[in-house]
Amino acid sequence: MNSQFKRGIIELCVLSELAMEDMYGYMIINNISQHLDVNENTIYPILRRLTKEEYFTTYLQESSNGPPRKYYKITNKGFNYYLKLRDDWDEFIGGVYEILNKGGKKHEDILRKFKERTN
Amino acid sequence: MKTFLENLKKELTKLGFNEETIAEILNDHKEMMQLALDEGLEESKITEKFGDPEKIAKELKDIEPDSKNKNNEYKLIKSFDQETINKFFIKLISEDLKLEISNSNQFEIYGKRVKLNKYNIEVESECLTIEKKNEKTFGLFSFSSGSAKFIIKVPHDKTLKEIDYKATSGDFEFSNLTSENLKIKNVSGDIEAKTIKATNFYIKTVSGDVELKQSEIKELTISIVSGDIDMDLVVIIENLKINSVSGDTNINSCESKEFIYNSVSGDFEAKEYYPKNANLKSVTGDIEFKNKDKDKNINVVSKKTLRGEIKI
């Protein structure tokens, strides 16, 4: 997949994770990589960039085992940005599905239509 | 992990990161990697899981403002002769805008991280337009390091007829400006104005804050939902109208003939403000004048509150 596109989607996922609760870096990486095939090195720069943009703030919190962890917390600005990005995404993906579904929703549909047309 | 961190440090140093930033990045990686190792990741799989230090460094380089990233500096976009412009029409989304005094007798437009193909910037019938083109791009594709910023430098002593500004989340800051009409509409961006001279000044915002200082305005109307209003040393020759839903209003050393205030739950506090006539209405917010000079009278034409307190 186009890496710019993928980065944008991961950015949306990172925002969504942090919209739910404050998390430390590795937790975000883990949560996202459970669902998507992401290389960890794409997430850290996003965290850093969105923190620079004041969409996130960070704080250190002691953990029961091991050294303190850096938690990321979404700001109001970040939350508004998330809502906007999510709207954009819904609109985009909705449009994509409207196009795709014209040709049928399932493989069988698509295949049947294709056969009908080419036979 | 040690080799990885050493390599990362080497790459970051090569790209000119400062020591403090390097330490921070290394710390963050150390923390993440330790957790991964604790979960049973093998040392030999670190690069596979965390990526190549060289690539990480390059990726991070693009977002560091302290690196020499040309996109992070203001660049002159266009300039126009002072006589050619009388009005501004500005329609932006998340871009911040600042108006400053120009050192020359030209209008100069500067931009930071501005993608020029996304904006209309033109002068027609003495009106300068800066407008974000209406396009169906969507944030996920326009991934960029930070939102764009504009500066318009206005020639000293220039009087504008009108400024019409609309934005969604961008902040708007301006000072030392004279304009007959000022119309500002924003959703969540903040508005900061200082030493302004205007005949009609109209501000409408939802959650942005409004800060107005040392200005002279004939008619001022502010309509706001949850943002706060701060006014300091503002002389209003005729009327001051404030409509606020839940934002607080603070007025310090201001003047006006009429004062019309409407609020639902926001609080209002004024110090050294003696309007001739005042119409005060609030549902649950408090209204308080803390004036020192007890001889100066404020004629309260009407006051209404359901649960708030009015003290004058």
Side-chain angles (χ1 to χ4, degrees):
Chain A
M1 214 189 287
N2 173 308
S3 70
Q4 199 81 321
F5 182 53
K6 202 168 168 181
R7 247 190 287 188
I9 295 170
I10 296 168
E11 179 173 316
L12 179 65
C13 295
V14 170
L15 283 157
S16 169
E17 286 290 316
L18 287 171
M20 291 183 293
E21 56 176 307
D22 299 357
M23 294 182 189
Y24 53 89
Y26 189 66
M27 188 175 172
I28 299 166
I29 290 169
N30 252 353
N31 285 357
I32 291 176
S33 58
Q34 270 172 27
H35 304 281
L36 300 174
D37 178 21
V38 286
N39 193 329
E40 271 72 352
N41 70 24
T42 49
I43 294 181
Y44 179 71
I46 289 172
L47 284 172
R48 217 178 144 74
R49 180 165 52 81
L50 296 185
T51 306
K52 278 242 149 74
E53 287 294 314
E54 294 168 350
Y55 293 147
F56 304 148
T57 53
T58 61
Y59 60 92
L60 284 179
Q61 189 167 301
E62 297 295 328
S63 67
S64 49
N65 45 344
R69 290 169 191 170
K70 190 196 236 180
Y71 276 76
Y72 294 82
K73 184 187 185 68
I74 197 162
T75 61
N76 278 344
K77 192 178 168 189
F79 192 75
N80 286 335
Y81 177 65
Y82 165 58
L83 292 184
K84 187 195 167 290
L85 216 57
R86 179 154 183 163
D87 275 350
D88 286 350
W89 170 253
D90 286 344
E91 192 182 324
F92 178 78
I93 211 75
V96 170
Y97 271 106
E98 267 168 42
I99 296 166
L100 295 185
N101 289 344
K102 280 196 291 192
K105 279 191 180 171
K106 291 189 170 156
H107 274 194
E108 303 91 86
D109 282 353
I110 302 164
L111 212 66
R112 184 176 44 78
K113 283 191 186 167
F114 181 69
K115 275 190 182 148
E116 279 169 13
R117 190 168 63 83
T118 47
N119 276 344
Chain B
M1 177 158 86
K2 222 178 148 198
T3 334
F4 181 98
L5 292 174
E6 272 166 15
N7 286 337
L8 185 58
K9 188 176 178 181
K10 211 162 65 191
E11 295 298 333
L12 291 170
T13 314
K14 223 193 274 175
L15 292 177
F17 281 80
N18 64 39
E19 267 175 47
E20 199 186 328
T21 312
I22 293 177
E24 197 188 329
I25 293 170
L26 289 179
N27 245 330
D28 291 346
H29 276 86
K30 209 168 149 187
E31 178 196 311
M32 292 189 288
M33 281 172 187
Q34 194 54 55
L35 287 165
L37 293 172
D38 290 349
E39 279 185 2
L41 183 80
E42 286 168 44
E43 275 277 351
S44 58
K45 296 232 164 109
I46 277 193
T47 310
E48 194 183 304
K49 193 145 169 95
F50 285 92
D52 174 30
E54 194 184 334
K55 276 192 195 150
I56 298 175
K58 275 192 186 139
E59 186 98 9
L60 289 171
K61 168 87 174 164
D62 292 339
I63 59 169
E64 285 308 312
D66 61 2
S67 65
K68 277 182 190 159
N69 190 341
K70 277 185 196 149
N71 282 333
N72 270 318
E73 286 158 25
Y74 279 101
K75 273 179 283 191
L76 181 64
I77 297 171
K78 274 183 184 173
S79 58
F80 300 97
D81 282 337
Q82 127 151 270
E83 305 78 47
T84 58
I85 294 174
N86 243 328
K87 291 179 184 170
F88 288 175
F89 175 76
I90 292 154
K91 202 174 163 194
L92 299 169
I93 308 286
S94 62
E95 303 80 358
D96 291 341
L97 173 69
K98 212 169 161 180
L99 304 186
E100 289 179 355
I101 293 187
S102 166
N103 299 323
S104 67
N105 49 10
Q106 289 203 313
F107 284 93
E108 292 167 343
I109 301 159
Y110 290 83
K112 181 157 121 174
R113 293 188 290 239
V114 170
K115 287 186 183 130
L116 283 175
N117 57 358
K118 298 207 162 147
Y119 298 90
N120 284 326
I121 301 177
E122 57 182 23
V123 170
E124 216 191 286
S125 346
E126 305 197 319
C127 179
L128 166 70
T129 298
I130 299 181
E131 184 179 17
K132 178 91 185 249
K133 284 182 195 166
N134 219 343
E135 51 177 14
K136 281 235 157 185
T137 49
F138 96 114
L140 294 166
F141 285 120
S142 52
F143 165 91
S144 74
S145 50
S147 51
K149 292 177 196 294
F150 283 100
I151 291 180
I152 306 176
K153 295 206 174 186
V154 181
H156 187 59
D157 288 341
K158 174 80 189 181
T159 300
L160 289 162
K161 275 219 174 83
E162 183 174 283
I163 295 180
D164 187 343
Y165 168 92
K166 286 190 188 83
T168 309
S169 61
D171 295 338
F172 185 23
E173 192 185 327
F174 53 106
S175 57
N176 303 307
L177 190 85
T178 308
S179 175
E180 282 172 31
N181 291 308
L182 267 164
K183 273 196 288 188
I184 295 175
K185 276 188 185 173
N186 206 329
V187 179
S188 63
D190 294 336
I191 296 150
E192 208 182 310
K194 208 179 148 185
T195 44
I196 306 302
K197 273 190 184 168
T199 313
N200 291 304
F201 192 169
Y202 175 81
I203 301 176
K204 190 175 178 177
T205 170
V206 178
S207 61
D209 294 336
V210 174
E211 200 184 309
L212 189 56
K213 278 183 182 166
Q214 295 157 21
S215 295
E216 200 186 304
I217 296 152
K218 198 166 164 217
E219 294 267 349
L220 174 63
T221 304
I222 304 176
S223 176
I224 197 163
V225 178
S226 64
D228 295 335
I229 303 171
D230 243 308
M231 279 170 53
D232 202 11
L233 296 164
V234 180
V235 176
I236 296 141
I237 299 159
E238 300 287 340
N239 307 323
L240 169 62
K241 283 183 209 159
I242 295 177
N243 270 305
S244 158
V245 178
S246 61
D248 294 338
T249 304
N250 263 303
I251 292 186
N252 190 12
S253 308
C254 293
E255 294 173 24
S256 84
K257 245 188 215 156
E258 305 283 327
F259 176 50
I260 299 155
Y261 178 76
N262 263 307
S263 156
V264 178
S265 63
D267 292 336
F268 172 89
E269 194 187 300
K271 278 179 195 153
E272 299 308 294
Y273 174 42
Y274 307 90
K276 271 205 181 113
N277 298 310
N279 288 272
L280 311 168
K281 215 160 103 185
S282 132
V283 181
T284 59
D286 296 336
I287 298 175
E288 190 175 359
F289 281 86
K290 289 183 177 170
N291 285 338
K292 278 187 196 141
D293 192 341
K294 303 291 173 201
D295 297 334
K296 279 195 200 169
N297 239 336
I298 300 171
N299 174 30
V300 180
V301 182
S302 73
K303 60 174 175 179
K304 240 190 249 172
T305 174
L306 206 56
R307 276 193 283 129
E309 222 181 302
I310 299 184
K311 269 197 269 183
I312 297 176

